[in-house]
Amino acid sequence: MGKVLMKGNEAIGEAAIRAGCLNYFAYPITPQSEVAEYLTKRMPEVGGVFLQGESEVAVAYMIFGAAGAGERVFTTSSSPGISLMSEGISYIAGAQCPAVFVNIMRGGPGLGGILPSQADYNQATKGIGHGDCRMLVMAPASVQEAVEMVMNAFPLAEKYRNPVMILGDGLIGQMMEPVEFPDHLKTEPSNKDDWASNGMDHRKRSERNLVRSLFLDPTALNDNNLQLKAKYDQMKKEEVRSESYNSDTDYKVLIVSYGTMSRVCRTAIDALKEEGIDVAMVRPQTVFPFPEQAVRDAAQKESCKQVISIEMSMGQMVEDVERSVRGGKPVHWFGKCGGDVPTPEEVVDVVKSLIN
Amino acid sequence: MQNEIMFAGFGGQGILLIGKILAHAAMEEGNEVAWIPSYGPEMRGGTAYCTVVIGDRPIGSPIIKNPRHLIAMNRPSLEKFAPDVKPGGVILINTSLIPVDSGRTDVDELKVATVDIAKEVGNVRAANIVALSAFVARSGVVTMDGLRHCVEVEFSKKPKLIPLNMKAVDAGEKVAKKTS
Amino acid sequence: MGKTFQRPEALSDTMTHYCPGCTHGIIHRLVAEVIDELGIRKRTVGVAPVGCAVLAYNYFDCDFQEAAHGRAPAMATGIKRVRPDLVVFTYQGDGDLASIGMGEIIHAANRGEKFTTIFVNNAIYGMTGGQMAPTTMPEQRTTTSPFGRNVEDVGMPIKVAELISALQTPAFISRQTVIKPKYINKAKKAILKAFTYQVEKKCFSLVEIVSTCPTNWGMTPLDAITWTEENLLTYYKLGDYKTPD
């Protein structure tokens, strides 16, 4: 199949189906309601399940129930809705079930606004729910990348038996771009008979399976948390993804930026190059685990004098950038909040101000 | 090389649709494209606009402050966005609704009475296709054949509407040539 | 002579943590007997609540999932929608179902989700130590209503069976109790019906079971039974509130 022009939200819905996920529960919220509007028509065509839940709180447990029963399942929402789901995400992580959550971020806090934002960075990467729970978080910068990340998310969620989040901003959901759905990213769901409550008569073993996050015995709780930690450590080893731009030059400034914001930075870097100023960028594709090594290596290049985190938030990822650079070079921040996406011209000015 | 085309007007004028058709045609001709809608609160208040970016390499910023071209379907859109258009670009003015000029001397101003022309070809609702066709004929951002193909694809689920819209494409092309 | 009485296969051979005089044990047994009689143990998934029955999965020998407080109906919805061939039931208390989870139970019932809810109403929060529930009776003393439930302040107790019956979709809603043998057989019949309707893919079903909590009521088990008959059963009337067809 060739390229088709699709809106990000619709492409995300289609990508899940192409990945082999036929179960979707969701609650409407701007700017991602098109996913539900798309899948309410599409799921019946492929024999899948579509249900609009009564709230994001309930949807998170529909996801938990379906995941616990061993089926591939996903949902999509936007910032305030993700806050409501965060309780359930913590339970899903605690019970070690695979599930995929898509957050098409809008501005906050509170109701905030409905325009693009990256202000849920800390929530997604550090504080998604109570307890020591983490998710693998991937941040697409184009509709095509969103498609591929969604398709990859299901096997990754199963590999780690843990929630995986696709962290996009409103523009990724609302833009139309040409997309392809790579056949090789369609995967078979893993066998879940050793843990899922999918009915004893389907399994060879005679014991029943329990899906739970309650461990009243502190030793058992500690064991569960150590298992979770081992998985997060493994993610840090095996799943870090990032991309570099203009990094084979003697750049003076290193930008770290992700998602839609990184595209604005790319345009700014091109414009600066025309003026004879070389600037490089590291674009995290996974924000948890964060590409610490790539950022540190890029910052350590001798020509690099300044590092700047550019994000659509009031300065969240910058803390990870500082942590990665480890004091070797000055780390700055530039950003704006939901809706007011910085333009390439603004980025150019900010970078120039660092040099002069 | 990158072209940015802004489409702006009232909600209901088919603004987002003609943007999508142009993006589709550009994609079919092997370009990188992005279609960026405005989806803020303003979409609920009646104005609609979108930007189509066409390039020969992956599209960078989807935030376009200065588009190369503008299709203004109502007066507020023209007044708001005409000053932003890059010199040398095309500004299409829908004279059926806009009684003023862009005030720019460094652009190619293309005046099209889209509603009147659409009425002539059979239905006022084809005014958006008249505008798109006139713009494409003038700017050459895609070929007319490519445009015709994508209009057909767009209406393939309502084939009854294809002849009307093809007439609208012809009429738009004609008026662009006549006024050039 | 063969065995006339034995532990149902769907119950584990485990001592429960329930207090003396608590009726959870009887209700567990009735549910397990029904599961055995319908021969569905190996395709049944229970959903445990938060409350005294949070550890119910230690006592039933079938697949189980554990929900957050009040969310069992949403979880059961997720399981049943993706695996309609499974038999799914939630087992919930009054704080779980009628307070924090009221939204989830109403919507699951109203969608007609084809699972079964066993709702154990003992008019108090048991696990957290005897706080007031939405079903606590007027003047009933609890740790958060030490002078008795003041209905001027917090309203009258919620009648869940009646409330859910006001919805058009759900088809089998019944209220029973297990405080005396004469009630137990009726309760079992209601539970059997509820599961049978699910197996027949008919409807959502809910059986409310009026229960005791001698520990948190501060009574002996016998006094708790008398108090239930005199106070709870006069307010929470037994019977079928809705039946299919």
Side-chain angles (χ1 to χ4, degrees), chain B residues 12-149:
Chain B
Q13 281 183 309
I15 300 292
L16 302 184
L17 178 74
I18 52 175
K20 183 185 158 199
I21 294 172
L22 181 68
H24 183 203
M27 179 185 86
E28 293 288 329
E29 294 183 356
N31 297 289
E32 299 284 348
V33 298
W35 172 96
I36 304 124
S38 66
Y39 70 91
E42 65 273 16
M43 75 183 255
R44 284 147 178 89
T47 64
Y49 53 95
C50 67
T51 307
V52 174
V53 185
I54 304 171
D56 51 10
R57 30 188 232 132
I59 309 299
S61 174
I63 305 299
I64 306 293
K65 207 168 113 194
N66 299 108
R68 189 168 300 275
H69 309 291
L70 169 67
I71 287 91
M73 294 297 279
N74 67 3
R75 183 169 176 169
S77 301
L78 179 72
E79 288 172 343
K80 187 170 176 192
F81 298 118
D84 297 337
V85 176
K86 286 178 188 155
V90 173
I91 295 185
L92 184 146
I93 300 176
N94 174 20
T95 55
S96 301
L97 293 181
I98 309 174
V100 296
D101 293 343
S102 68
R104 297 276 301 262
T105 53
D106 55 349
V107 297
D108 180 4
E109 207 169 67
L110 170 59
K111 293 183 174 178
V112 183
T114 65
V115 176
D116 308 73
I117 295 170
K119 273 185 196 158
E120 281 167 31
V121 302
N123 192 327
V124 63
R125 292 184 62 188
N128 59 339
I129 300 293
V130 172
L132 174 63
S133 169
F135 168 73
V136 167
R138 176 63 63 92
S139 66
V141 293
V142 295
T143 64
M144 288 306 292
D145 283 347
L147 176 68
R148 283 193 171 83
H149 169 68

Side-chain angles (χ1 to χ4, degrees), chain A residues 180-302:
Chain A
E180 284 179 288
F181 300 93
D183 286 337
H184 71 272
L185 292 183
K186 181 177 168 60
T187 46
E188 284 302 314
S190 63
N191 186 308
K192 302 174 174 90
D193 284 354
D194 56 343
W195 63 267
S197 59
N198 56 357
M200 295 167 78
D201 61 354
H202 283 70
R203 304 191 293 262
K204 285 182 190 147
R205 290 183 310 122
S206 60
E207 307 96 88
R208 50 62 176 280
N209 283 337
L210 291 181
V211 173
R212 59 167 174 163
S213 64
L214 178 69
F215 300 94
L216 290 172
D217 169 16
T219 311
L221 180 61
N222 196 42
D223 284 349
N224 196 53
N225 272 296
L226 287 173
Q227 277 179 33
L228 299 187
K229 183 175 183 324
K231 296 196 297 190
Y232 307 144
D233 289 345
Q234 190 187 347
M235 287 177 195
K236 289 177 186 171
K237 282 204 189 90
E238 297 178 16
E239 310 306 339
V240 181
R241 301 281 184 279
S242 68
E243 196 181 70
S244 300
Y245 191 67
N246 204 40
S247 56
D248 53 356
T249 59
D250 287 327
Y251 51 88
K252 286 198 172 111
V253 177
L254 172 69
I255 292 175
V256 183
S257 187
Y258 70 102
T260 292
M261 194 62 241
S262 69
R263 295 172 59 150
V264 176
C265 292
R266 204 170 72 205
T267 299
I269 290 169
D270 291 347
L272 285 159
K273 202 176 183 69
E274 280 180 22
E275 296 184 39
I277 302 168
D278 270 315
V279 172
M281 175 166 66
V282 171
R283 174 173 78 87
Q285 292 163 298
T286 53
V287 285
F288 183 87
F290 188 77
E292 291 173 40
Q293 194 65 46
V295 169
R296 182 153 63 250
D297 290 349
Q300 277 173 355
K301 187 156 182 173
E302 203 172 335

Side-chain angles (χ1 to χ4, degrees), chain A residues 130-152:
Chain A
H130 61 279
D132 278 315
C133 79
R134 297 263 181 152
M135 300 177 296
L136 176 57
V137 186
M138 297 185 274
S142 68
V143 178
Q144 180 63 40
E145 194 172 40
V147 162
E148 290 168 16
M149 285 179 173
V150 167
M151 294 183 80
N152 280 323

Side-chain angles (χ1 to χ4, degrees), chain C residues 46 54 66 81 105 107 112 132 170 176 185 195 230 233 237:
Chain C
V54 64
E66 169 203 273
R81 289 270 173 160
I105 191 66
H107 284 280
M132 185 179 68
Q176 305 292 334
N185 286 338
F195 276 85
E230 289 174 358
L233 297 188
K237 298 270 168 55

